[in-house]
Amino acid sequence: MVKIYQAAKGSRDKPQQLKQIEVQIERLDHEAQGIGFEQKRIVFVSGALPGERVKVQLTEQKDKSAKGKVVKVLQASPLRQAPLCKHFSDCGGCQLQYLSAEHQLELKQQGVDQLIRHQTGLTSLPWQTPLKSEGQGYRRKARIGIWFDKKTQQFTVGFRKANDKVITSIEHCMVLSPALTSVFSILQQQLPKLQQGSAITHVEALDADGQVYLIVRHIRPLPDSDQQALIKAWPEAIWIGEAEPELYQHWQVGTAEPCYQLPALGLKLKFSAADFIQVNQGINQQMVQQALNWLNLQPDDQLLELYCGIGNFSLALAQRVKWVHGLEGVTTMVQRAEANAELNGLTNLSFSQADLHLPWPKADWNKPKYQKVLLDPARAGAVGAVEQIARLSPAQILYVSCNALTFARDAKVLLDCGYQLDKISVMDMFPQTSHLELMALFHRRK
């Protein structure tokens, strides 16, 4: 699996040294944190909006910067609204419910715009229409945390608190797919009745085009009676045990693998519980279609795709071009992509395993024969890979990003290698949160 780079943590003051301060918020950064100043020190504040004056509890401070969270709004922005979810103050899943969906997207894009311009030196960006989805009921995959208190013999079922490992109890999640909303009540009711309920640490809930899958992670064996009790509580769901990471046991006989469809393209993709998929089905469909449109694909095009996963883009691309070659770091994902190509009757594509951040091997796929390249890396971005893409000299490069900071770094490399930014749009994959995804199209300058 790809290892995500993490910078060294800065020094933190002891808790008793941290204080409360008042800050005037000037703008939001690319992670939707408020930015203000205490004398000459920049302060990043979670829970604040531009124009607000807030009292802030510092959580980290250095000589030139500090971080904190709002404990009281002294002067509120007219954009501020009451959060829609009753769990908002405790749950760490959603960060921006004090804003309307429209203003969430607007302010997040402004923060990303400032970051990219600052990092690349571009004076303006060619923004296109954002890709948006419903702000509720969009999430088709989520990890439900479970905590058993040995002293009280009570179970807590829900999500982690913000910046904490503690599980907070959740009765209903407004962003979770409607097909999955029963998971909290069923687990809360059933866990105390099980012989080995305390062995269950979390449950992965998945909505695969209406079919519910529940992957139960347990640190001790669960007796058959416990398995059957859970199945009886939700018989329409497919229950899968996970005794060790990615070691799955289907509890019901003859259950099918999860799959999802791209209906506008007539495609069906199978995946396993361990595979990465985009959690917002609506945005994923818009994203694939926009990629096809922006690349202006031609029948004679040969296309290279990096970080291809199970073939989410690959299959759609192969429907329109001469050849697609997909690269992926995880061997099992390469095998899954190959199986999905066969499932959909596509023969004009191939896949290889490669660590794309290291020097690329001498291989038939590593030759300057591609008119277009698509890459969709993890949050660490494509450090080391973008230079090698540029050496292949494709006419167009489509970059799909889930991290504006690493995208800005990689975009600077492409600009320095002779490419120009043609189009960029934000994709609101996770409404109600500070997260924002990007799609950008570059073309080689002549």
Side-chain angles (χ1 to χ4, degrees):
M1 296 293 287
V2 175
K3 294 184 179 180
I4 305 302
Y5 170 78
Q6 289 184 327
K9 294 181 179 179
S11 60
R12 294 170 180 259
D13 289 335
K14 295 180 181 180
Q16 62 266 28
Q17 293 177 311
L18 298 176
K19 59 182 179 179
Q20 290 188 358
I21 60 174
E22 289 189 12
V23 178
Q24 183 72 32
I25 304 300
E26 297 186 3
R27 63 183 189 277
L28 299 188
D29 71 359
H30 68 285
E31 294 182 323
Q33 296 181 106
I35 293 179
F37 293 88
E38 182 197 31
Q39 297 178 350
K40 293 184 178 181
R41 181 168 64 173
I42 189 170
V43 184
F44 299 94
V45 183
S46 62
L49 292 175
E52 291 188 330
R53 186 158 189 83
V54 293
K55 180 176 285 187
V56 178
Q57 173 62 60
L58 294 182
T59 57
E60 179 181 335
Q61 53 185 344
K62 303 176 185 178
D63 290 340
K64 296 183 179 180
S65 67
K67 293 183 179 180
K69 59 183 179 181
V70 171
V71 292
K72 186 176 182 180
V73 179
L74 303 175
Q75 181 181 345
S77 164
L79 301 181
R80 184 174 286 275
Q81 66 177 26
L84 300 173
C85 178
K86 69 177 184 179
H87 300 297
F88 173 75
S89 60
D90 294 321
C91 178
C94 296
Q95 300 89 38
L96 297 180
Q97 286 191 18
Y98 48 81
L99 274 171
S100 69
E102 176 185 0
H103 289 122
Q104 287 178 29
L105 184 56
E106 178 184 352
L107 291 177
K108 286 194 288 187
Q109 181 171 331
Q110 288 177 8
V112 167
D113 177 85
Q114 291 168 354
L115 169 73
I116 296 173
R117 287 190 292 106
H118 175 73
Q119 297 283 12
T120 62
L122 295 172
T123 56
S124 64
L125 302 180
W127 287 109
Q128 309 296 304
T129 304
L131 300 187
K132 299 183 288 186
S133 72
E134 294 294 329
Q136 301 186 33
Y138 66 82
R139 191 177 183 108
R140 60 177 170 180
K141 189 175 184 180
R143 174 173 289 193
I144 314 300
I146 297 170
W147 172 255
F148 177 68
D149 190 317
K150 293 181 180 179
K151 291 183 178 180
T152 64
Q153 297 291 294
Q154 298 292 314
F155 287 90
T156 302
V157 178
F159 296 125
R160 288 183 177 181
K161 293 186 176 183
N163 303 314
D164 205 327
K165 294 183 179 180
V166 175
I167 303 297
T168 188
S169 179
I170 301 294
E171 297 175 10
H172 174 78
C173 174
M174 62 174 282
V175 302
L176 206 57
S177 160
L180 301 176
T181 53
S182 299
V183 65
F184 302 104
S185 60
I186 287 176
L187 291 175
Q188 194 68 61
Q189 293 167 12
Q190 295 301 316
L191 287 170
K193 302 176 184 178
L194 303 181
Q195 295 181 44
Q196 290 292 333
S198 61
I200 299 175
T201 59
H202 64 260
V203 172
E204 193 89 22
L206 169 66
D207 174 4
D209 282 4
Q211 174 61 61
V212 174
Y213 287 77
L214 299 168
I215 298 92
V216 180
R217 178 75 172 98
H218 53 95
I219 57 176
R220 297 189 301 277
L222 296 181
D224 184 68
S225 59
D226 283 358
Q227 297 176 20
Q228 294 305 313
L230 291 171
I231 293 170
K232 185 177 180 181
W234 198 346
E236 298 82 11
I238 294 176
W239 292 83
I240 301 172
E242 186 184 10
E244 298 178 18
E246 300 185 22
L247 180 62
Y248 303 110
Q249 177 190 8
H250 285 251
W251 292 351
Q252 297 127 301
V253 178
T255 53
E257 284 187 303
C259 66
Y260 67 86
Q261 299 192 45
L262 297 172
L265 302 171
L267 295 171
K268 178 179 181 179
L269 291 91
K270 290 186 177 181
F271 59 97
S272 79
D275 294 338
F276 169 82
I277 64 168
Q278 299 289 357
V279 302
N280 190 321
Q281 182 179 17
I283 289 291
N284 184 57
Q285 293 180 16
Q286 294 181 56
M287 178 177 70
V288 172
Q289 189 62 55
Q290 180 167 278
L292 298 177
N293 295 339
W294 282 16
L295 282 169
N296 188 27
L297 300 167
Q298 301 300 313
D300 290 335
D301 282 343
Q302 293 194 70
L303 192 142
L304 182 67
E305 182 187 357
L306 285 68
Y307 317 97
C308 65
I310 65 172
N312 188 56
F313 286 106
S314 313
L315 307 186
L317 295 166
Q319 290 181 325
R320 301 194 181 191
V321 301
K322 180 179 181 180
W323 193 263
V324 174
H325 189 78
L327 300 172
E328 171 58 50
V330 183
T331 300
T332 54
M333 298 284 268
V334 172
Q335 296 167 346
R336 183 71 63 182
E338 292 172 337
N340 279 325
E342 183 177 354
L343 175 66
N344 289 275
L346 295 167
T347 58
N348 62 328
L349 69 172
S350 55
F351 300 93
S352 299
Q353 188 277 332
D355 188 334
L356 298 169
H357 304 278
L358 298 178
W360 291 359
K362 291 182 178 180
D364 184 64
W365 57 262
N366 186 14
K367 295 179 180 179
K369 58 184 177 180
Y370 306 102
Q371 290 74 42
K372 288 149 191 181
V373 170
L374 185 151
L375 64 155
D376 183 9
R379 289 189 61 80
V383 62
V386 285
E387 295 92 343
Q388 298 179 90
I389 293 172
R391 283 199 286 271
L392 296 178
S393 196
Q396 290 181 304
I397 299 172
L398 187 74
Y399 193 133
V400 179
S401 171
C402 60
N403 185 342
L405 189 61
T406 56
F407 167 80
R409 176 201 65 202
D410 295 342
K412 180 65 165 58
V413 174
L414 291 176
L415 294 172
D416 291 344
C417 287
Y419 283 84
Q420 177 176 314
L421 180 59
D422 268 355
K423 296 180 180 180
I424 183 170
S425 74
V426 294
M427 305 181 294
D428 204 11
M429 189 73 73
F430 299 89
Q432 313 296 347
T433 77
S434 59
H435 191 70
L436 194 62
E437 308 214 348
L438 300 167
M439 181 181 291
L441 181 67
F442 297 85
H443 82 265
R444 187 180 69 245
R445 292 192 294 267
K446 296 181 179 179

